[in-house]
Amino acid sequence: AMEVIATIKLQKVKKSAEHLREYMNTFLGMLSSIQSYTDLFPSVEPQARRQLAIVITSEKGLCGSLNTTLLKQFAWAYNDISNLDVYVIGKKGKEYCTRRGYTIIWSNHLSDTFISDDLQELYDFLEQAQNSGTYKEIKVWYNFFKNTMKQIPAGFQLFPLSTDRFHEFMESLEIILPERQSTRTTPSKYMKLEPDRETILDKAYDIMRNVIIYGAVLHNKTWEFAARMLAMKGAKDNATTIIDDLTLAYNKARQDAITKEVLEIVSAKAVLDDN
């Protein structure tokens, strides 16, 4: 039953991933005209010392090595946790970080049918942290869904965000990117930006940051359902094998008992006939 449920949820979340690709294709088409003459990601040199890690895990277990593999890679990436803050999404990640003594500044729990608005607290927190310059680096740790059989734990640097890293993330989502121009050009005389370029760039950056977070959570949920489907299928196959082995052993024992009783009856009959 759990295998069937996970399969149904996997198909639903795959549709959400397709919708995300369609949205990003449209959004990037609009940004391509702006990016041709201005840099969407200006260079930033943070003065802060602390780091922030956004760890995305599952709410429930029974999904194989989904969380274990990701959390091991996350732990290996940070030698010094004294300057590390952790924002956890998912019950399993919160339990792990609590046991290991990480500084958890916030935790969020998402249902299987989450929407982008459910991550609004995280969006607001990141915007405030960026404006105040609290962190020198922000990374998102999640399970990238390549296909049903392959799990790829990933740590994506969300801040400072560069053009190359953004394109790398978009390519991981298999989104068709507009062609990048090697040189900047002047704005077209037919293009008018309202209210101004800086406002549009700030808003575009906020949208991209939120989309990256949403895409990471969506990927992790997709692989969670795939991992649970595979784990439950393996459990069902193992249980079927054990049942078959036990049934065979029972039939052999039953047949041995019947044969023994028949031999005892025949032997007793032979003794009575001799007498």
Side-chain angles (χ1 to χ4, degrees), residues 129-187:
Q130 179 184 337
N131 294 334
S132 61
T134 307
Y135 300 105
K136 70 173 183 179
E137 182 184 88
I138 301 176
K139 277 192 174 183
V140 184
W141 295 89
Y142 68 102
N143 286 289
F144 173 69
F145 179 79
K146 184 66 176 179
N147 53 57
T148 307
M149 303 301 296
K150 190 172 183 179
Q151 170 190 1
I152 305 176
F156 181 80
Q157 183 173 312
L158 185 63
F159 176 81
L161 184 61
S162 64
T163 302
D164 292 335
R165 292 189 180 276
F166 178 72
H167 278 257
E168 176 186 341
F169 181 80
M170 292 298 103
E171 289 171 1
S172 69
L173 295 181
E174 299 179 355
I175 292 176
I176 302 174
L177 296 169
E179 294 184 0
R180 301 166 61 183
Q181 298 182 9
S182 57
T183 57
R184 301 293 181 187
T185 60
T186 57

Side-chain angles (χ1 to χ4, degrees), residues 95-211:
E95 293 175 351
Y96 175 86
C97 293
T98 301
R99 290 195 306 267
R100 294 300 183 95
Y102 288 95
T103 303
I104 302 177
I105 58 174
W106 197 264
S107 62
N108 196 353
H109 302 280
L110 298 177
S111 64
D112 293 339
T113 56
F114 76 99
I115 58 176
S116 182
D117 291 342
D118 297 331
L119 298 169
Q120 190 60 48
E121 289 181 348
L122 177 55
Y123 298 156
D124 296 338
F125 174 80
L126 291 175
E127 183 177 1
Q128 181 181 0
Q130 179 184 337
N131 294 334
S132 61
T134 307
Y135 300 105
K136 70 173 183 179
E137 182 184 88
I138 301 176
K139 277 192 174 183
V140 184
W141 295 89
Y142 68 102
N143 286 289
F144 173 69
F145 179 79
K146 184 66 176 179
N147 53 57
T148 307
M149 303 301 296
K150 190 172 183 179
Q151 170 190 1
I152 305 176
F156 181 80
Q157 183 173 312
L158 185 63
F159 176 81
L161 184 61
S162 64
T163 302
D164 292 335
R165 292 189 180 276
F166 178 72
H167 278 257
E168 176 186 341
F169 181 80
M170 292 298 103
E171 289 171 1
S172 69
L173 295 181
E174 299 179 355
I175 292 176
I176 302 174
L177 296 169
E179 294 184 0
R180 301 166 61 183
Q181 298 182 9
S182 57
T183 57
R184 301 293 181 187
T185 60
T186 57
S188 171
K189 63 180 180 179
Y190 300 107
M191 181 182 298
K192 185 177 182 181
L193 302 180
E194 293 289 349
D196 53 61
R197 189 186 69 173
E198 288 72 20
T199 302
I200 291 180
L201 291 181
D202 290 342
K203 185 62 177 179
Y205 186 88
D206 292 341
I207 293 176
M208 286 185 285
R209 182 190 60 223
N210 297 348
V211 166

